[in-house]
Amino acid sequence: MKRVLDDLNLFCKVVELGSLKAASSKTGVPHSTVSRRIEALERALGLVLLQRTTREIKVTPRGKELYLDCAPLFSNLNDSIALAEDAEAKFKGTLNVSMPVRAGIDFLGSWLIDFATEHPDLKLNVTLSNTNKNLLKDDIDLAFRVGPLLDSSAVALHLWDIPYSVCAHPAYLKKYGLVQNTITIQQIASLPCVISHPAKKWAFLDAANTEVMLSPQESLAVDDLGLAQHAAMTTHYMAMLPNTMVTNELVTLKVSGLRPRKRVMYAYYFGKRHVQSQIKQLVNYIKGRFEVDMQARL
């Protein structure tokens, strides 16, 4: 019976993914073995489940009925197993974490340290960097990064949105004759701006929600948003900063016909099942701390 259940689970994967080859890749079971096990299942049940041709497979009516009956059961079973594994996850050993400099200094770093104090067998190695490092080459278990992400093969968890604004000091507006706190695309390209790497361009959305990338006048380049904020406070530069960094001493500027595109903080990683279980718990902790922090700001 166990072999029949295993083969039935494999059959559901074939139906979900649309081919024997895709099921083989997803499960790690050799293609020839997948085909052989589906044939064994058909013999055991006395049913034709798949019609095969050299180019494709087609699920028979009886095969579709069987899939619709069984797939939810396997899904619920897998969820139950995953929850049980998550509950038993032990935070032991070393976890290498990378995050942006400003986020690490302002809040993420301290939240991670608080988490580590609750799990004394966990050893955290925290690196602050504004460079999107390669997870595998740089031996990083978990990275907090502001999207878009470069490595699409990693698991990416959306944490929160980050609203941005173009801003400047009132003295800057007066100096360049900016009225009604509004600027044009041409002024962004011609007036002194501070750029915070790696975002050399500023991202906006137009009325149709189409992304528009602008190249500001790069009069100063820094590698940290805190430095960009300080540059704007000197009255000599326009900046694009997260809304939380636009202080009362700075003025938010409207861009004619455009609005700043929100950016996204992601947690992304590779890893085996057990490692993923630990990382998800850690990420949920970070999300919870962020939500508490946002509520305190209201």
Side-chain angles (χ1 to χ4, degrees), residues 145-148 157-162 262-266:
R145 284 287 172 256
V146 178
L157 301 177
H158 181 139
L159 297 181
W160 55 76
D161 292 334
I162 308 174
K262 292 180 180 179
R263 303 187 73 186
V264 177
M265 178 67 80
Y266 289 97

Side-chain angles (χ1 to χ4, degrees), residues 264-277:
V264 177
M265 178 67 80
Y266 289 97
Y268 72 117
Y269 59 92
F270 293 106
K272 297 181 180 180
R273 177 69 190 87
H274 183 64
V275 175
Q276 290 186 18
S277 173

Side-chain angles (χ1 to χ4, degrees), residues 228-269:
Q229 180 196 49
H230 179 78
M233 298 283 286
T234 67
T235 76
H236 295 296
Y237 305 96
M238 186 188 330
M240 191 170 194
L241 299 173
N243 287 358
T244 54
M245 298 184 71
V246 181
T247 67
N248 292 334
E249 297 178 61
L250 296 175
V251 176
T252 297
L253 302 177
K254 297 179 181 179
V255 183
S256 299
L258 300 173
R259 66 184 187 280
R261 187 197 69 186
K262 292 180 180 179
R263 303 187 73 186
V264 177
M265 178 67 80
Y266 289 97
Y268 72 117
Y269 59 92

Side-chain angles (χ1 to χ4, degrees), residues 87-99:
E88 293 300 319
K90 301 296 182 182
F91 289 89
K92 298 179 64 175
T94 301
L95 191 68
N96 298 320
V97 184
S98 175
M99 65 187 67

Side-chain angles (χ1 to χ4, degrees), residues 1 6 21 27 29 43 47 66 93 115 118 137 146 157 198 243 257 268 292:
M1 178 59 71
D6 289 342
K21 182 178 180 180
T27 61
V29 178
R43 288 195 300 271
L47 300 172
L66 186 65
F115 182 86
E118 299 177 11
K137 291 182 180 179
V146 178
L157 301 177
N243 287 358
Y268 72 117
V292 170

Side-chain angles (χ1 to χ4, degrees), residues 3 15 22 67 86 99 126 134 141 146 235 241-242 256 287 298:
R3 183 55 183 268
V15 176
Y67 168 77
D86 287 347
M99 65 187 67
V126 178
N134 184 287
D141 299 308
V146 178
T235 76
L241 299 173
S256 299
K287 289 178 69 175
L298 298 178

Side-chain angles (χ1 to χ4, degrees), residues 42 48-53 56-61:
E42 289 178 323
V48 177
L49 304 175
L50 301 175
Q51 293 177 340
R52 303 169 179 82
T53 68
E56 62 180 359
I57 63 169
K58 184 177 181 181
V59 185
T60 66

